Amino acid sequence: MDAIHEMASGSSPIHRLSPGAKLLLTVSFIMIVLSFPKYQLTGLFFFVLFPVIGYQVAGIPVSTCFRKLWVVLPLVCAVGIFNPFFDRKILAVIAGVKISGGVISMLSLMLKGIFCLMASFLLVATTTIEEICAALRKIHCPKMLTALLLLTFRYVHVLLEEVSLMTDAYHLRAPHQKGIHHSAWGSFLGQLILRTADRGSMLYESMILRGFHGEFLYAENKKYSRLSWLVAGFVLLLMIGARLVDLTALLGSLL
Amino acid sequence: MITLENVTCAYPGGKQVLETINLHIEEGETVGLIGANGAGKSTLMKALLGLAPYQGKITIDGQELKRDTLAEIRKTIGFVMQNSDNQMFMPTVYEDMLFGPMNYGATRKEAEEAVEEVLEMLGLAYLKPLYNHKISGGEKRMAAIATILAMRPKVVMMDEPTSALDPYNRRRVMETLKKISGTKILASHDLDFILDTCDRVLLLGEGKLVADGKAEEILSDGALLERYRLELPLSLTRR
């Protein structure tokens, strides 16, 4: 999490874009990617370019996203894992191998999940959580929701810190064990919840003692160039264009 | 400046933590709050900030502590927590320092001026761009104090300001405290630190205010301190 904080404080052109513009682009990207029909795999391929170019311009290796999110990736990939069993209609034959609709829809779901994850991580890695929340407040997102988003983000941070501390403490007293023995799972989890709840409430106290009331005044006052919105508009048009025209298939037909 | 009248604190479940506390702290005083573990020091400070349930009357800077005066009172009292990790939540020291003043209505320019002034006063300008997770415990404590001072509070309250600090950083905290004007309330087990920095001491024992007087008098009363599970400061035992 600390590394993400550091990444978000960078100064690349993507970092310098207005948080509102980045939020708009990310949400649009996710909506457009999710709008693809389940068998339209070729159109989807082209969309990998948006996050990959984003990572390049931001100076963040794409592998960072996968390294940081390795815990979530199997879950994303597991979505649709049963599709090949239910949808057996053959839709394509490649080099004599029959490809069923289930396999295509499974791949399509996996790609959608991975692309959305890449785009979301790019947003978080180039924009601080306060800036995201401030951008959400600007579009009149309820204070309660933005505060919840901010506190959840901070809670995850505390949770990871405490897990690391507790795991170290456990291994120091159980040096020959791999992982945490199942007999300790219950107490480990219970202690983790108690400790994080305690620290979480102290962090919240620290915030309210310094006047936090749900607004993100300290993030809002940064000035961003109007160019941000021009860039966002241009990229958005490209995305819409790529959604309407299957560029991968078009390129294939030209070859 | 701060008045407590018949303040009693009990947490849900009935455990009495503070019992009929009456005291008055004048503006500009530096008061040490001492007592063994569980004596009620932290609860008393939390009650002053409206973070702990209490009965009785608390008045701070002429305003009674109530729901509608809470924001103003929290602006008046700057509280430095025992664990700086729980206090510093923004990515960098600078952003953390801007957080308080801007939430309390300062413009970005005003907040930046306040931050620069505090950093210069404490000789911490080098911390400004640093990430909170990359600075040492001592630096983090100094940065936590700086975040509170940037709010320009009338009262500075600190919970165990010297705990887990090496002698050099402990001395830095003491020097910083001497630079700060206004009312200060310092809760600590470090009685030498209290002796060096405070004019007056409040001794809490089992939730009651058992002694209130000049720091030198209370901290040299070995029998009184021992009765409440404390010991004479080292500097006095060497005399």
Side-chain angles (χ1 to χ4, degrees), chain B residues 19-213:
Chain B
E19 217 177 303
T20 334
I21 305 283
N22 286 291
L23 63 92
H24 178 76
I25 296 172
E26 289 290 343
E27 193 172 349
E29 267 189 302
T30 303
V31 179
L33 194 56
I34 61 169
N37 289 331
K41 303 185 295 292
S42 298
T43 307
L44 180 61
M45 289 196 290
K46 282 191 159 192
L48 289 175
L49 295 160
L51 293 173
Y54 71 94
Q55 287 177 318
K57 189 178 172 188
I58 297 177
T59 313
I60 294 160
D61 199 22
Q63 293 188 90
E64 192 181 338
L65 181 59
K66 284 180 185 166
R67 184 181 278 266
D68 51 345
T69 57
L70 208 52
E72 199 53 41
I73 282 173
R74 286 175 178 170
K75 191 180 170 187
T76 307
I77 303 181
F79 180 51
V80 181
M81 293 180 163
Q82 183 175 356
N83 185 350
S84 307
D85 282 328
N86 293 335
Q87 176 137 14
M88 312 282 287
F89 44 78
M90 299 291 284
T92 64
V93 173
Y94 186 61
E95 286 167 286
D96 229 309
M97 289 184 74
L98 287 177
F99 182 89
M102 290 186 74
N103 275 324
Y104 280 121
T107 62
R108 193 169 190 94
K109 191 168 176 282
E110 287 165 348
E112 283 174 350
E113 278 169 10
V115 168
E116 298 289 346
E117 192 185 300
V118 171
L119 285 173
E120 196 171 322
M121 178 179 86
L122 304 183
L124 297 174
Y126 70 99
L127 284 182
K128 190 176 154 183
L130 301 185
Y131 288 100
N132 281 329
H133 66 276
K134 283 195 172 168
I135 57 179
S136 70
E139 287 172 330
K140 205 175 273 183
R141 182 65 52 87
M142 292 303 295
I145 295 172
T147 59
I148 295 306
L149 294 183
M151 287 161 50
R152 296 185 169 138
K154 289 183 182 168
V155 181
V156 174
M157 201 154 66
M158 297 187 184
D159 194 0
E160 296 288 356
T162 58
S163 69
L165 288 185
D166 60 29
Y168 169 74
N169 280 306
R170 180 178 175 275
R171 199 169 60 246
R172 276 181 91 186
V173 171
M174 284 167 72
E175 281 162 9
T176 302
L177 280 168
K178 283 173 189 161
K179 286 180 192 168
I180 304 171
S181 55
T183 313
K184 285 163 267 179
I185 303 172
L186 314 170
S188 182
H189 288 127
D190 181 349
L191 299 188
D192 284 286
F193 164 76
I194 294 287
L195 187 63
D196 276 344
T197 47
C198 301
D199 323 314
R200 179 181 163 195
V201 160
L202 305 172
L203 171 59
L204 287 176
E206 289 156 7
K208 293 175 194 152
L209 181 62
V210 291
D212 176 356

Side-chain angles (χ1 to χ4, degrees), chain A residues 141-254:
Chain A
C141 183
K143 215 189 256 190
M144 177 92 81
L145 281 181
T146 50
L148 199 65
L149 178 67
L150 176 77
L151 294 175
T152 308
F153 189 84
R154 298 242 159 95
Y155 182 73
V156 172
H157 190 224
V158 168
L159 192 76
L160 294 176
E161 263 183 18
E162 290 297 322
V163 167
S164 161
L165 277 174
M166 286 174 69
T167 314
D168 286 348
Y170 182 90
H171 287 306
L172 286 172
R173 287 183 290 158
H176 303 299
Q177 272 185 38
K178 267 190 179 177
I180 292 161
H181 193 261
H182 62 81
S183 61
W185 286 3
S187 53
F188 191 90
L189 192 65
Q191 279 299 315
L192 182 67
I193 291 169
L194 288 175
R195 285 166 66 125
T196 51
D198 204 30
R199 271 200 64 194
S201 64
M202 279 193 270
L203 270 174
Y204 180 63
E205 279 175 5
S206 170
M207 288 168 72
I208 54 166
L209 288 178
R210 286 198 272 156
F212 179 72
H213 46 80
E215 297 296 350
F216 300 87
L217 306 161
Y218 47 95
E220 265 176 4
N221 284 10
K222 281 189 189 170
K223 294 273 179 279
Y224 294 98
S225 136
R226 283 194 184 161
L227 194 68
S228 286
W229 292 99
L230 278 175
V231 172
F234 175 69
V235 177
L236 189 59
L237 279 176
L238 274 180
M239 282 186 204
I240 294 169
R243 173 67 187 87
L244 298 175
V245 183
D246 187 345
L247 291 167
T248 320
L250 193 70
L251 280 172
S253 65
L254 289 175

Side-chain angles (χ1 to χ4, degrees), chain A residues 41-207:
Chain A
L41 205 53
T42 51
L44 205 52
F45 283 142
F46 188 79
F47 275 78
V48 73
L49 288 179
F50 291 99
V52 167
I53 292 172
Y55 279 92
Q56 292 305 313
V57 178
I60 301 168
V62 182
S63 57
T64 313
C65 165
F66 295 109
R67 269 208 317 274
K68 297 280 174 204
L69 301 175
W70 66 270
V71 186
V72 202
L73 275 175
L75 294 175
V76 171
C77 293
V79 178
I81 204 157
F82 294 110
N83 285 17
F85 300 105
F86 297 114
D87 183 357
R88 296 180 179 196
K89 193 170 69 179
I90 303 299
L91 289 186
V93 180
I94 300 173
V97 180
K98 291 175 182 169
I99 313 280
S100 70
V103 170
I104 293 177
S105 64
M106 181 187 74
L107 288 174
S108 163
L109 277 174
M110 278 179 182
L111 284 183
K112 283 178 184 176
I114 291 170
F115 291 175
C116 292
L117 213 59
M118 286 171 80
S120 310
F121 185 79
L122 182 61
L123 175 70
V124 176
T126 55
T127 324
T128 63
I129 187 72
E130 288 79 18
E131 286 172 336
I132 295 173
C133 291
L136 285 169
R137 282 295 295 146
K138 266 191 183 161
I139 54 167
H140 303 290
C141 183
K143 215 189 256 190
M144 177 92 81
L145 281 181
T146 50
L148 199 65
L149 178 67
L150 176 77
L151 294 175
T152 308
F153 189 84
R154 298 242 159 95
Y155 182 73
V156 172
H157 190 224
V158 168
L159 192 76
L160 294 176
E161 263 183 18
E162 290 297 322
V163 167
S164 161
L165 277 174
M166 286 174 69
T167 314
D168 286 348
Y170 182 90
H171 287 306
L172 286 172
R173 287 183 290 158
H176 303 299
Q177 272 185 38
K178 267 190 179 177
I180 292 161
H181 193 261
H182 62 81
S183 61
W185 286 3
S187 53
F188 191 90
L189 192 65
Q191 279 299 315
L192 182 67
I193 291 169
L194 288 175
R195 285 166 66 125
T196 51
D198 204 30
R199 271 200 64 194
S201 64
M202 279 193 270
L203 270 174
Y204 180 63
E205 279 175 5
S206 170
M207 288 168 72

